[in-house]
Structure formats: structure tokens, C-alpha cells
Amino acid sequence: EVQLVESGGGLVQPGGSLRLSCAASGFTFSSYWMHWVRQAPGKGLVWVSCIKSDGSSTSYADSVKGRFTISRDNAKNTLYLQMNSLRAEDTAVYYCARDRDLSSWGQGTLVTVSS
Amino acid sequence: QSVLTQPPSVSAAPGQKVTISCSGSSSSFRNNYVYWYQQLPGTAPKLLIYDNNKRPSGIPDRFSGSKSGTSATLGITGLQTGDEADYYCGTWDSRLSVVVFGGGTKLTVL
């Protein structure tokens, strides 16, 4: 069974940093593109970033470019999102998802940016 | 990055059929597959339709998808109260390696 478990969310002050993790199991992690998607409270889904199966290619939404960095450790079956210079508008539940069709999702981790 | 357009809400009675539209003006929408996701209240999204019209295993055939040109449609027949959820369309632009979602449609089963 495919499982994705996010962690690392919490309360952080504006301008601060946070690193999210997504632990994968039940499939060959190193064979799949992976994504981060976020959802602000009461709002819709917003794609954040993705990374190729071997980590050689990454892509970002304009709203996070230059502030967020996606990475992966295929030996540890783990996806990461390093978030710097956080803003109030980054407050959201962050989901990791698998493959080009986002066929499997984690349960999400809440990031709150507030003073 | 382009945005896909969905109606904010739709409603229908139990047992009836409903359709949710998704339109996109960019060439990436025309040239790439459309996906549909269901998000039940308080839960993570779930893939409902992939590659325009295919259902993952476990998704009942009450759910269907189609695409023509710059628009796609999700159809749900035999509506149940358990279908009340937010529905999102999305597309993966393989050339730019980005994902674009629609704004979401809230389905109410009256």
C-alpha cells in the first residue's frame, strides 16, 4: 500500500524557515516524480513544486521561487521542502503527492506563519 | 502560470446526474491530460480520474471524465450524499514541468 506521511509543520514567525519532510513507503520511491501542493484555510489547491525521480530536475510556482527548495533522498525514501523567508500568505496545509497525475497524497502538515 | 476555470458550486438531488466543467485557454491544457480530484471535508484530495477519462481501481463507474479541445468535464451519476465534496481539475504540463489546478467546485447533494 502506498503511504506518504508529511511532517515538520508548525508555527513560525514571518521571515523564518521551516523544513517539511514526506516519508514514502509501499512503492519504489526513486522511480517517481514527487510534488508539494498546499491549501490555505478554506481555499483551493495550489501546486508548489515538483522534483524528478532522480532529483536532476525541479520546478516551482512563481509565488515560492527563490524562497523554497525541493529535494529528495532516494536512499531514505524521503521528500523535503525547505521553506525560507516565510510570509503570512504561506500559511496552509502542505501535501506531498506522487507522480505526474498526483495519484497518491499524504494527509498533510499545517504550516502557520504568524507573529 | 495559467489557471483552469471551474464553477464555484453545483448542486443536484440524490440519484440525479451532475456535470462539472473545467476550461483552460492555454496550449498546455489542450496538449496535456486532465485529472480530477475529490476532496471530502477534512481529508486529503484523492485522484478520481486520470488521463482525461480513466478511473483508478476502486473508483466506481458513476464517475466519468471527458475532454474536448479547451474544456473537460467530470460527470457523476446516481448522486449520493457521500459525494458531497470539493472537486478539482488539474493538468500536468510536461513541457514546463508544472501542475495547474482549477479553483475547485463544491458539490452539494440536496
Side-chain angles (χ1 to χ4, degrees):
Chain A
E1 178 196 2
V2 173
Q3 273 207 316
L4 298 170
V5 180
E6 301 93 338
S7 61
L11 175 64
V12 61
Q13 292 188 337
S17 297
L18 213 53
R19 188 176 85 153
L20 306 183
S21 299
C22 168
S25 60
F27 65 101
T28 305
F29 180 72
S30 59
S31 296
Y32 290 88
W33 283 77
M34 294 294 296
H35 302 262
W36 287 101
V37 176
R38 70 184 181 185
Q39 186 171 35
K43 302 296 185 181
L45 301 176
V46 176
W47 175 81
V48 172
S49 181
C50 68
I51 185 167
K52 194 176 178 180
S53 54
D54 62 0
S56 62
S57 177
T58 60
S59 186
Y60 299 91
D62 290 343
S63 58
V64 306
K65 207 170 289 185
R67 300 188 299 124
F68 289 12
T69 302
I70 190 172
S71 62
R72 64 192 298 161
D73 185 335
N74 284 345
K76 294 183 177 179
N77 291 340
T78 303
L79 174 73
Y80 302 102
L81 185 68
Q82 177 67 44
M83 304 185 296
N84 299 331
S85 303
L86 282 162
R87 307 166 180 166
E89 54 265 36
D90 295 318
T91 294
V93 173
Y94 285 73
Y95 297 99
C96 61
R98 185 188 80 157
D99 211 356
R100 61 178 174 86
D101 55 3
L102 288 80
S103 53
S104 298
W105 297 64
Q107 85 290 346
T109 187
L110 176 62
V111 172
T112 303
V113 184
S114 175
S115 54
Chain B
Q1 287 147 345
S2 63
V3 173
L4 306 181
T5 301
Q6 300 180 234
S9 64
V10 296
S11 61
Q16 296 301 304
K17 174 181 178 178
V18 71
T19 60
I20 298 173
S21 62
C22 172
S23 64
S25 57
S26 70
S27 60
S28 67
F29 181 81
R30 286 193 296 274
N31 298 332
N32 291 283
Y33 289 122
V34 171
Y35 308 102
W36 289 93
Y37 305 91
Q38 177 193 59
Q39 188 175 32
L40 296 168
T43 69
K46 178 175 76 172
L47 179 67
L48 211 54
I49 298 288
Y50 68 99
D51 293 358
N52 298 336
N53 55 19
K54 298 180 174 64
R55 284 177 286 106
S57 62
I59 301 299
D61 59 8
R62 300 188 298 108
F63 296 90
S64 64
S66 64
K67 181 188 173 193
S68 178
T70 59
S71 68
T73 302
L74 173 70
I76 311 173
T77 59
L79 276 172
Q80 303 172 1
T81 55
D83 296 331
E84 285 203 335
D86 294 320
Y87 293 84
Y88 296 89
C89 60
T91 185
W92 160 249
D93 187 322
S94 55
R95 185 178 66 86
L96 299 177
S97 296
V98 300
V99 173
V100 179
F101 289 108
T105 299
K106 182 176 184 60
L107 168 64
T108 301
V109 181
L110 301 168

